[in-house]
């Protein structure tokens, strides 16, 4: 490998960062925090970003097009490059950034597996239960907030499924506005 190869971008890197940015934008919708009492903390924000990125990766991995899996990997890579950068900007020491990012990766992976299993489950409450365990650490506030967040996630997943791979490969994705989904949920 020549020295110039170190500076080449991976084929889907730009699209991965753009798709990831759109997922973060959807996850940071104030309505999700206000209407559903998602904790507006680092952990609460991470949970919503994980949910939206997980939905996007699920959509990409399900695509029969050969670009789907590499795009999903590019989104994942963008997420953890961003997490690494954010930790460094927050002043986390270089020696502990790797451990913290690994912990975040493990948390994301666990959530993604739980949500995937819940989507594939025949049980109508499986996704709400998985979200309650993760977003509110097993203790959601009174009301049906977990079921409402599950409805939002299902609507986003259905909307993502209708978006073509050509747009996604170009880094364009549209999430439904949370305000609209919460009004309907």
């Amino acid at each position: 490998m020549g020295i110039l190869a170190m500076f080449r971008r991976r084929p889907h890197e730009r699209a991965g960062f753009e798709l990831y940015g759109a997922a973060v934008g959807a996850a940071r919708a104030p309505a999700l925090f206000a209407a559903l009492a998602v904790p507006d903390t680092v952990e609460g924000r991470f949970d919503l970003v994980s949910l939206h990125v997980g939905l996007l990766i699920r959509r990409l991995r399900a695509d029969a097009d050969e670009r789907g899996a590499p795009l999903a990997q590019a989104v994942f890579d963008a997420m953890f490059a961003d997490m690494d950068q954010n930790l460094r900007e927050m002043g986390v020491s270089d020696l502990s950034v790797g451990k913290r990012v690994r912990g975040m990766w493990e948390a994301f992976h666990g959530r993604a597996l739980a949500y995937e299993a819940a989507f594939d489950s025949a049980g109508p409450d499986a996704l709400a239960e998985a979200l309650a365990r993760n977003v509110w650490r097993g203790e959601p506030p009174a009301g049906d907030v977990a079921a409402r967040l599950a409805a939002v996630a299902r609507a986003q997943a259905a909307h993502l499924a209708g978006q073509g791979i050509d747009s996604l490969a170009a880094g364009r994705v549209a999430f439904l506005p949370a305000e609209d989904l919460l009004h309907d949920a």
Side-chain angles (χ1 to χ4, degrees):
M1 166 168 65
I3 193 148
L4 293 177
M6 292 182 355
F7 298 104
R8 274 192 217 124
R9 290 186 179 262
R10 287 177 234 115
H12 300 291
E13 184 176 14
R14 180 178 303 265
F17 274 96
E18 291 173 4
L19 296 172
Y20 168 70
V24 170
R28 289 189 175 164
L32 294 172
F33 296 92
L36 300 178
V38 171
D40 192 5
T41 61
V42 171
E43 294 82 10
R45 286 181 231 133
F46 177 79
D47 283 319
L48 288 184
V49 168
S50 293
L51 174 61
H52 286 78
V53 169
L55 292 171
L56 181 56
I57 287 174
R58 175 183 163 85
R59 158 61 185 96
L60 292 166
R61 285 186 30 234
D63 203 290
D65 190 285
E66 65 183 18
R67 296 172 288 180
L71 275 167
Q73 184 63 51
V75 171
F76 177 86
D77 293 346
M79 178 178 181
F80 286 95
D82 184 51
M83 296 295 161
D84 182 282
Q85 180 180 345
N86 285 328
L87 287 170
R88 291 177 193 282
E89 287 176 358
M90 291 184 331
V92 174
S93 74
D94 287 341
L95 295 175
S96 62
V97 166
K99 288 180 183 178
R100 298 274 300 269
V101 170
R102 181 174 174 81
M104 295 168 99
W105 178 89
E106 290 170 354
F108 172 78
H109 186 67
R111 285 162 176 75
L113 289 176
Y115 301 154
E116 184 82 20
F119 268 103
D120 294 342
S121 170
D125 298 330
L127 184 57
E129 291 167 3
L131 288 165
R133 274 192 315 272
N134 290 297
V135 175
W136 296 279
R137 307 302 183 258
E139 298 180 26
D144 59 351
V145 293
R148 291 177 68 205
L149 183 55
V152 167
R154 289 188 189 286
Q156 292 290 18
H159 185 67
L160 290 170
Q163 296 179 47
I165 191 69
D166 290 333
S167 290
L168 296 168
R172 293 187 309 271
V173 64
F175 284 86
L176 295 168
E179 299 80 14
D180 295 349
L181 295 174
L182 291 167
H183 177 64
D184 297 338

